Amino acid sequence: MASSVTSSFQISNFKSVFLGEKSKIRVSTSPATRVGLFRKTIECKESRIGKQPIPVPSNVTIKLEGQDIQVKGPLGELSLTYPREVKVERKDEGILSVSKAVETRRANQMHGLFRTLTDNLVVGVSKGFEKKLQLIGVGYRATVEGNDVVLNLGFSHPVKMPIPNGIKVKVDENTKITVSGYDKSEIGQFAASIRKWRPPEPYKGKGIKYEDEVVRRKEGKAGKKK
């Protein structure tokens, strides 16, 4: 058994030396050694947004239960559940602080996100949010009929959209729509659902756009020169 192992080792060395001489490359015949792997600890920097404190007005009530938070104010009540990587604490009277529970990359990602979501809860139930849209086009108009928003956008029939609970819709001059409420995500979702019926086209700018939206215009096809 030992002789067979020795002979195979000599043959492999002979092949390596022969290939090295043939290609004029110096080939090492020394046995390979094990390379050690060093694990480097990654330090996660603290989020610039996540470390900012959240001021709580006097007319807002905060209730903390483990990883759950309930925020109640004059406009409504909202709740949020935090992941295990993030925790929320009441530092002083009228101050909330969101921090990382563990030092991982996911915790660093969740830190700034859930600090922003928490701030949206506090601002939403105390001041509220609004999103404004504008209709551009000949014959385009909007009205509020009961609990529905009715849009005339050049289709063969008007578009009726029921208004969700907790959201208010106001129409000015038949072309300006204001969506308001205390839940920022619901407001943004409903405004986006209105806009998707007629997104602004880039040639004449016709459609439904946000008030602060900038539509990049394109030049139309030029006619054939005579």
Side-chain angles (χ1 to χ4, degrees), residues 1 37 42 66 71 79 108 116 121 140 147 192:
M1 181 68 180
L37 298 177
I42 300 176
V71 184
S79 61
N108 196 46
T116 302
L121 299 183
Y140 288 9
N147 198 38

Side-chain angles (χ1 to χ4, degrees), residues 64-76:
L64 298 174
E65 292 182 357
Q67 294 295 99
D68 298 330
I69 183 174
Q70 292 182 350
V71 184
K72 187 176 182 180
L75 298 182

Side-chain angles (χ1 to χ4, degrees), residues 119-132:
D119 186 63
N120 289 343
L121 299 183
V122 176
V123 176
V125 298
S126 59
K127 299 179 181 178
F129 296 98
E130 67 177 16
K131 198 79 172 176
K132 294 185 178 181

Side-chain angles (χ1 to χ4, degrees), residues 129-135 142-144 149 151 163 167-181 187-188 190-191 194 208-211:
F129 296 98
E130 67 177 16
K131 198 79 172 176
K132 294 185 178 181
L133 302 101
Q134 186 176 3
L135 279 65
T143 56
V144 177
V149 179
L151 305 173
I163 302 174
I167 291 180
K168 297 180 181 179
V169 178
K170 181 182 178 183
V171 178
D172 296 324
E173 302 176 5
N174 294 328
T175 58
K176 297 179 180 180
I177 304 174
T178 302
V179 182
S180 60
I187 294 170
F190 187 66
I194 294 176
I208 306 175
K209 74 180 192 69
Y210 298 116
E211 184 184 42

Side-chain angles (χ1 to χ4, degrees), residues 20-21 27 35 38 41 58-59 63 69 78 82 93 103 110 114 140 169 178 200 203:
E21 292 178 353
V27 180
V35 179
F38 298 95
T41 304
S58 58
N59 58 352
K63 184 178 180 181
I69 183 174
L78 294 171
Y82 295 87
E93 188 65 26
E103 288 293 334
M110 297 292 104
F114 277 86
Y140 288 9
V169 178
T178 302
Y203 295 101

Side-chain angles (χ1 to χ4, degrees), residues 151-214:
L151 305 173
N152 291 279
L153 303 172
F155 299 124
S156 60
H157 60 282
V159 177
K160 287 189 176 182
M161 300 183 62
I163 302 174
N165 296 329
I167 291 180
K168 297 180 181 179
V169 178
K170 181 182 178 183
V171 178
D172 296 324
E173 302 176 5
N174 294 328
T175 58
K176 297 179 180 180
I177 304 174
T178 302
V179 182
S180 60
Y182 57 88
D183 192 339
K184 189 175 183 179
S185 61
E186 291 289 337
I187 294 170
Q189 181 63 41
F190 187 66
S193 63
I194 294 176
R195 181 185 178 275
K196 76 175 183 179
W197 283 103
R198 280 289 190 188
E201 51 93 14
Y203 295 101
K204 295 184 179 179
K206 295 173 59 178
I208 306 175
K209 74 180 192 69
Y210 298 116
E211 184 184 42
D212 55 352
E213 181 180 2
V214 177

